[in-house]
Amino acid sequence: VHIGALNLSIPGAGAAVGHEVARGVGEHLANAQIPPGVAARHLGALSLQATARPGAGTAELSESIARAVIRAITNINDNDGGRGRG
């Protein structure tokens, strides 16, 4: 998984928190077990929403976002029959 840019909106959090969460997302994705059969592709942009409990720390936010990314790319793969677009 390669992410060229990650734009986050975390209500009530400043840039430092956003950078820490983004680093955590990258670490989670780097260590993730991407489901077999997920086709390699260039998506251009992926818009998703992830939720975490109020007061969640950066580690929990990072994990929630990484799970949402994996769910999204898995769903895209399932919806196009694994053909890929890139």
Side-chain angles (χ1 to χ4, degrees):
V1 174
H2 171 80
I3 298 176
L6 178 62
N7 297 310
L8 302 172
S9 175
I10 305 171
V17 170
H19 290 294
E20 188 173 342
V21 170
R23 274 192 301 277
V25 170
E27 290 171 7
H28 282 289
L29 291 174
N31 295 314
Q33 296 296 318
I34 304 299
V38 172
R41 71 191 71 231
H42 179 269
L43 297 175
L46 179 64
S47 178
L48 54 90
Q49 189 170 12
T51 57
R53 65 179 177 77
T58 56
E60 187 176 335
L61 290 170
S62 297
E63 185 176 355
S64 177
I65 294 167
R67 281 194 314 260
V69 168
I70 293 168
R71 269 193 314 274
I73 63 175
T74 301
N75 288 340
I76 289 168
N77 191 74
D78 290 346
N79 290 335
D80 74 4
R83 291 182 302 273
R85 292 191 298 256

